[in-house]
Amino acid sequence: MILNAKGLCKSFDGLPVLSGVDLTILKNSSVAIQGRSGEGKTTLLHILGGLEDFDEGKLEVLGEDIRKTPIAKLRSESFGFIFQNYNLLYDFTLLENIVMPARIARRRINRAHLHYIEELLEQVGLQDRKHFPVKYLSGGEKQRAAIARALCNKPDILFADEPTGNLDFENGEIIHKLLLDMVRLYQKTLLLVTHEESFARSCDQCYTLSKNILTCEF
C-alpha cells in the first residue's frame, strides 16, 4: 500500500464536494478516477497530492500521516505532477524545465542524474528539442515534456490531472500510451484523473466520482 485515504470530506462555502471518500492504492499500480466535469475529481487529486487540505478524514502516504509530514518535502521528493495545462515555464528551455524539480528540491545534478534525464528525453522522443524554449513546442510535445519533468526526481507517485484534456484525439492517444508505458517502465504508481473512459479502463483500477461519492468500477 502506497496511499490510503479514509473518510475524506471536503466542502467549499458549505457545499459538499467529497463525502467520506475511501481509497487505497497499491505500489506500482495505475489507478484512474473518472467522472463528469464539476464532480470534484481535481479537488480529490489535489488533496491526495498534498496540494489542498481536507476537512475530515485521514490520509496516509508512504506509511505517513500527510498532516504530520513536511508536505513541501513530500511533494518535491516523492510526488510528480502532470497538469492539463502543462504548467511549464515558457521563458526556459525544455531541459531547464525538466531539471526544475531537482533545482527546487536542491538536489545536486550529477553525471548519473544527467544521464537519467537524457534517458527520459529519449523515452518521450524529445532528445532533439532539449535546448528549445518550450513556448515553441506543440501541445503534444509540451505534455511529453511534462511527463519527463514529473519523473525527474524519481518520485514514488505520479499525479496526472486530465493529461489529454487539451489535446486532439491523435495526440491524446499518444500521451495515453506514453504515460502508461513510462509508469510501467520506471515502476511508478499512477493516480490519473480523466473524463476519457478508454484511458481510465487502461489502468489497473478504475473509480467513478459522482455526487460526492467515489465508487470502484474494477
Side-chain angles (χ1 to χ4, degrees):
M1 182 189 311
I2 198 167
L3 184 151
N4 189 38
K6 290 290 185 184
L8 292 183
C9 296
K10 179 70 177 181
S11 298
F12 291 108
D13 296 326
L15 179 66
V17 177
L18 303 174
S19 300
V21 167
D22 295 336
L23 178 64
T24 298
I25 298 177
L26 301 179
K27 186 177 181 180
N28 297 343
S29 64
S30 55
V31 177
I33 298 173
Q34 62 178 350
R36 294 177 300 178
S37 296
E39 291 287 356
K41 302 186 302 298
T42 293
T43 297
L44 177 57
L45 187 82
H46 285 184
I47 288 172
L48 298 175
L51 298 174
E52 192 167 325
D53 199 8
F54 49 96
D55 300 329
E56 297 178 32
K58 187 173 183 179
L59 174 59
E60 292 183 348
V61 182
L62 300 169
E64 300 289 336
D65 188 327
I66 201 168
R67 283 181 163 168
K68 298 177 182 178
T69 303
I71 192 62
K73 185 172 186 290
L74 188 64
R75 286 200 303 258
S76 66
E77 294 183 0
S78 300
F79 295 170
F81 296 93
I82 303 166
F83 300 97
Q84 179 177 346
N85 294 322
Y86 322 125
N87 286 21
L88 298 169
L89 301 173
Y90 284 82
D91 292 330
F92 291 82
T93 67
L94 170 58
L95 182 60
E96 288 169 335
N97 269 270
I98 290 175
V99 302
M100 194 59 69
R103 302 283 189 199
I104 293 171
R106 298 182 180 180
R107 289 189 174 184
R108 181 171 174 267
I109 302 175
N110 56 25
R111 184 176 298 177
H113 201 164
L114 281 174
H115 178 76
Y116 170 70
I117 289 168
E118 290 284 349
E119 180 184 287
L120 288 177
L121 283 166
E122 185 175 353
Q123 290 293 338
V124 299
L126 292 174
Q127 62 270 38
D128 62 341
R129 297 283 196 273
K130 64 182 178 182
H131 297 304
F132 277 41
V134 294
K135 61 186 175 184
Y136 296 130
L137 300 179
S138 69
E141 288 173 331
K142 288 172 184 174
Q143 199 58 291
R144 284 188 273 153
I147 292 171
R149 180 189 57 187
L151 288 163
C152 173
N153 281 350
K154 301 182 179 180
D156 297 288
I157 310 175
L158 289 180
F159 296 90
D161 186 8
E162 298 280 10
T164 60
N166 278 350
L167 303 176
D168 59 35
F169 177 79
E170 183 177 353
N171 277 299
E173 288 293 298
I174 291 170
I175 294 301
H176 169 170
K177 183 178 186 305
L178 176 65
L179 180 54
L180 291 177
D181 285 347
M182 294 287 278
V183 165
R184 289 160 185 156
L185 175 65
Y186 290 103
Q187 297 183 312
K188 302 301 178 184
T189 301
L190 172 67
L191 181 58
L192 166 73
V193 159
T194 183
H195 65 275
E196 296 183 20
E197 187 171 350
S198 64
F199 200 172
R201 292 191 175 276
S202 298
C203 294
D204 299 323
Q205 284 186 288
C206 178
Y207 291 81
T208 296
L209 184 61
S210 179
K211 297 180 180 178
N212 312 331
I213 303 296
L214 189 68
T215 304
C216 182
E217 301 294 336
F218 61 85

